[in-house]
């Protein structure tokens, strides 16, 4: 029998973004307050519907810029100043995940150094950085006194999956450097691991491990006193993408 597209129910494709950064030594995610139904007034991850003339990566970058004013770049593209690591996270297709219609979402994970305060736009009435633990709470109040309700749609699950992806990838890859500026100290890199993993690491052991891992860090020849105290050596990310030996996460 000939193919009849009308015989199949229509459904939409969206992109949702887990945007993580480290602010004030804490792992934070970008959240937007929905300005339209469904879940109007609730906090959600930035994202939206994929247009007919764009691929998934283009849709993810467009939605992030429209709703927050922040920009990311695909890691396959040339590096940009202030850009962020962007990768696909997972696909979510529960038939009941969106009350409007059948919607399949392709979630993306974006990581970047301490990013500026976002601005709301598109169908978002507000945008902010919030600590990951606060966003994953089911109720109560946040650190700023803002009432916290569960995230809209299935975004709590998507956020939890994105955080776990980041936590696991910094064990065996150089992804932690995506949270750092182009030149950083070992102490600044250690605070990234501490924020993402939610642990306190021994500074001496950490320094020995990261500087002894081939291709992980490259000395720039410079120093900085931006953390106070004695000048600290500056490094940049090396060419290694996989760490051998890996930086194993402490058991907590």
């Amino acid at each position: 029998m000939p193919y009849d597209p009308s015989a199949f129910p229509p459904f939409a494709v969206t992109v949702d973004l887990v945007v993580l950064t480290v602010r004030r030594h804490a792992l934070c995610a970008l959240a937007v307050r929905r300005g339209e139904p469904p879940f109007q007034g609730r906090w959600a991850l930035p994202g939206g519907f994929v247009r007919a003339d764009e691929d998934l990566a283009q849709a993810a970058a467009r939605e992030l810029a429209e709703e927050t004013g922040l920009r990311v770049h695909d890691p396959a593209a040339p590096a940009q100043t202030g850009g962020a690591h962007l990768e696909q996270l997972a696909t979510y297709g529960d038939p009941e995940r969106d009350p409007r219609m059948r919607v399949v979402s392709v979630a993306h994970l974006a990581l970047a150094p301490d990013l500026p305060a976002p601005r709301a736009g598109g169908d978002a009435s507000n945008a902010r950085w919030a600590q990951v633990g606060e966003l994953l709470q089911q109720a109560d109040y946040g650190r700023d006194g803002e009432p916290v309700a569960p995230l809209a749609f299935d975004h709590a699950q998507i956020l939890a999956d994105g955080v776990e992806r980041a936590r696991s990838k910094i064990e065996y890859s150089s992804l932690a450097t995506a949270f750092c500026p182009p030149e950083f100290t070992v102490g600044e890199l250690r605070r990234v691991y501490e924020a993402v993993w939610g642990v306190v690491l021994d500074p001496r052991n950490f320094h020995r491990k990261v500087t002894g891992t081939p291709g992980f860090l490259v000395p720039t020849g410079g120093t900085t006193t931006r953390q106070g105290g004695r000048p600290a050596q500056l490094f940049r990310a090396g060419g290694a993408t996989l760490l051998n030996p890996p930086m194993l996460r402490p058991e907590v």
Side-chain angles (χ1 to χ4, degrees):
M1 295 179 63
Y3 169 65
D4 180 9
S6 65
F8 300 90
F11 67 92
V13 178
T14 61
V15 289
D16 289 308
L17 294 125
V18 178
V19 186
L20 301 178
T21 194
V22 175
R23 292 172 64 86
R24 302 181 184 91
H25 309 312
L27 183 64
C28 296
L30 185 61
V32 296
R33 190 189 292 278
R34 289 188 57 78
E36 301 175 359
F39 304 108
Q40 185 172 8
R42 290 265 290 276
W43 290 100
L45 299 175
F49 289 94
V50 178
R51 294 173 179 171
D53 60 347
E54 62 186 359
D55 63 24
L56 295 172
Q58 290 171 333
R62 174 184 55 78
E63 282 291 341
L64 187 67
E66 286 180 356
E67 294 199 0
T68 68
L70 300 175
R71 307 185 75 84
V72 297
H73 69 271
D74 190 305
Q80 300 172 10
T81 302
H85 172 89
L86 177 66
E87 65 178 62
Q88 281 194 25
L89 173 62
T91 302
Y92 299 83
D94 188 308
E96 305 299 326
R97 64 178 304 275
D98 193 314
R100 293 169 291 190
M101 63 180 297
R102 180 71 191 274
V103 176
V104 174
S105 180
V106 181
H108 289 68
L109 175 65
L111 310 175
D114 188 4
L115 291 168
R119 62 169 177 80
D123 59 1
S125 63
N126 194 6
R128 67 179 179 128
W129 293 107
Q131 292 192 16
V132 164
E134 174 188 329
L135 289 174
L136 293 177
Q137 291 182 90
Q138 294 302 304
D140 210 349
Y141 290 83
R143 293 170 61 88
D144 57 0
E146 184 88 30
V148 177
L151 291 172
F153 304 103
D154 53 357
H155 288 184
Q157 182 62 57
I158 297 175
L159 174 60
D161 291 347
V163 170
E164 181 55 33
R165 168 75 68 86
R167 286 173 173 166
S168 63
K169 286 197 72 169
I170 66 173
E171 288 188 283
Y172 62 85
S173 78
S174 58
L175 189 62
T177 59
F179 288 102
C180 296
E183 295 186 357
F184 52 88
T185 68
V186 170
E188 290 169 336
L189 181 63
R190 174 172 50 83
R191 279 186 282 277
V192 167
Y193 275 90
E194 291 177 334
V196 175
W197 282 345
V199 299
V200 176
L201 300 173
D202 179 77
R204 288 177 180 248
N205 286 340
F206 182 84
H207 191 285
R208 175 178 53 82
K209 288 180 180 179
V210 298
T211 56
T213 300
F216 190 9
L217 303 182
V218 176
T220 66
T223 60
T224 181
T225 57
R226 61 184 175 227
Q227 297 173 289
R230 298 169 58 185
Q233 189 176 8
L234 286 168
F235 294 83
R236 60 176 174 83
T241 55
L242 296 178
L243 304 183
N244 186 21
M247 297 285 296
L248 296 180
R249 191 184 337 179
E251 295 185 4
V252 294

